[in-house]
């Protein structure tokens, strides 16, 4: 029986050659992967799995973490040598709860992106809805805001997300009475067919 040779897949670092790669939640990489990543950064080359050919890579690495890497280094949970290789330039982004004035602009941008992805036609937020968004804490930062807006878009009637919609969803989340927890929720403002 004849088998075709398997087509080689390009790895992420090889694909990013000449550009930038973003490593999100770098603090969650297990120790054995930290060692491999350090080797790639130092030697500027990769080897595909199951191959012995060395491939040079010229990449810029951006890494993000919601945990303090210095503390993890002190605790022995993150390699010090990898930390010092990655920390050429360190940017501290304050949490969303410290930047409430950014929420309306972020919300509108997220809304536009999600309109394309969900094929919806929500045009914007009523001023009361933006006030609700600015009043919430957002411990999950932009990801939590993004998911909240997506739920609002699904549960609201276009073209505008109202303050009533935002308050109802915020109260629902605050009381943890979401459908996925096994309890039904009552959404009197929902006029379209159920999901």
């Amino acid at each position: 029986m004849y088998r075709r040779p398997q087509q080689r897949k390009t790895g992420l670092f090889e694909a990013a050659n000449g550009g930038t790669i973003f490593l999100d939640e770098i603090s969650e990489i297990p120790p054995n992967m930290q060692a491999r990543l350090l080797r790639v950064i130092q030697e500027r080359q990769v080897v595909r799995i199951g191959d012995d050919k060395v491939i040079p890579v010229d990449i810029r690495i951006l890494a993000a973490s919601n945990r303090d890497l210095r503390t993890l280094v002190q605790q022995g949970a993150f390699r010090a040598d990898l930390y010092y290789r990655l920390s050429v330039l360190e940017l501290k982004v304050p949490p969303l709860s410290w930047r409430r004035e950014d929420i309306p602009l972020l919300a509108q941008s997220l809304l536009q992106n999600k309109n394309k992805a969900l094929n919806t036609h929500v045009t914007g937020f009523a001023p009361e809805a933006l006030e609700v968004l600015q009043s919430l804490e957002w411990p999950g930062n932009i990801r939590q805001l993004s998911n909240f807006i997506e739920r609002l878009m699904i549960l609201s009637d276009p073209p505008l997300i109202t303050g009533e919609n935002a308050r109802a969803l915020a109260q629902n989340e605050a009381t943890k009475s979401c459908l996925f927890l096994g309890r039904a929720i009552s959404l009197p403002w929902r006029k379209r067919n159920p999901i």
Side-chain angles (χ1 to χ4, degrees):
M1 176 190 213
Y2 175 75
R3 286 186 153 177
R4 288 187 202 167
Q6 279 189 326
Q7 184 179 0
R8 297 272 182 199
K9 288 183 83 176
T10 302
L12 294 177
F13 283 90
E14 188 179 352
N17 190 27
T20 303
I21 190 167
F22 177 62
L23 304 176
D24 197 11
E25 301 301 346
I26 191 78
S27 60
E28 304 305 316
I29 294 179
N32 63 332
M33 292 300 291
Q34 290 178 26
R36 290 179 185 171
L37 177 58
L38 178 63
R39 195 171 312 118
V40 169
I41 294 169
Q42 285 177 319
E43 297 174 10
R44 299 182 142 313
Q45 56 191 19
V46 294
V47 177
R48 289 181 181 159
I49 294 175
D51 201 347
D52 57 357
K53 181 182 171 192
V54 174
I55 302 167
V57 289
D58 177 23
I59 54 174
R60 175 178 40 219
I61 297 175
L62 297 178
S65 177
N66 63 351
R67 299 171 65 193
D68 184 1
L69 291 180
R70 286 185 197 148
T71 302
L72 293 175
V73 167
Q74 291 169 351
Q75 295 170 350
F78 196 82
R79 292 180 64 115
D81 48 0
L82 178 57
Y83 170 76
Y84 292 116
R85 280 282 180 188
L86 290 172
S87 65
V88 174
L89 176 65
E90 200 172 314
L91 300 174
K92 300 259 186 209
V93 179
L96 196 52
S97 60
W98 294 5
R99 302 177 289 130
R100 294 185 192 283
E101 67 280 358
D102 292 346
I103 290 175
L105 187 60
L106 288 168
Q108 193 61 42
S109 176
L110 290 167
L111 180 81
Q112 289 170 353
N113 292 339
K114 291 189 179 297
N115 265 330
K116 291 176 190 169
L118 299 172
N119 195 25
T120 54
H121 305 287
V122 180
T123 58
F125 299 88
E128 302 83 28
L130 291 174
E131 288 174 14
V132 171
L133 294 179
Q134 287 180 294
S135 72
L136 299 173
E137 286 301 312
W138 306 113
N141 288 306
I142 194 75
R143 290 182 181 123
Q144 184 184 10
L145 176 63
S146 177
N147 289 337
F148 189 88
I149 289 171
E150 186 170 341
R151 284 191 295 279
L152 275 173
M153 292 174 71
I154 292 167
L155 298 172
S156 299
D157 288 316
L160 201 63
I161 294 175
T162 66
E164 181 183 0
N165 298 145
R167 269 190 303 281
L169 188 56
Q171 287 172 348
N172 177 52
E173 291 199 1
T175 59
K176 305 273 189 224
S177 60
C178 295
L179 286 170
F180 64 85
L181 293 177
R183 290 181 248 152
I185 56 174
S186 170
L187 302 173
W189 40 269
R190 174 84 174 138
K191 295 178 184 166
R192 291 183 290 176
N193 294 330
I195 297 171

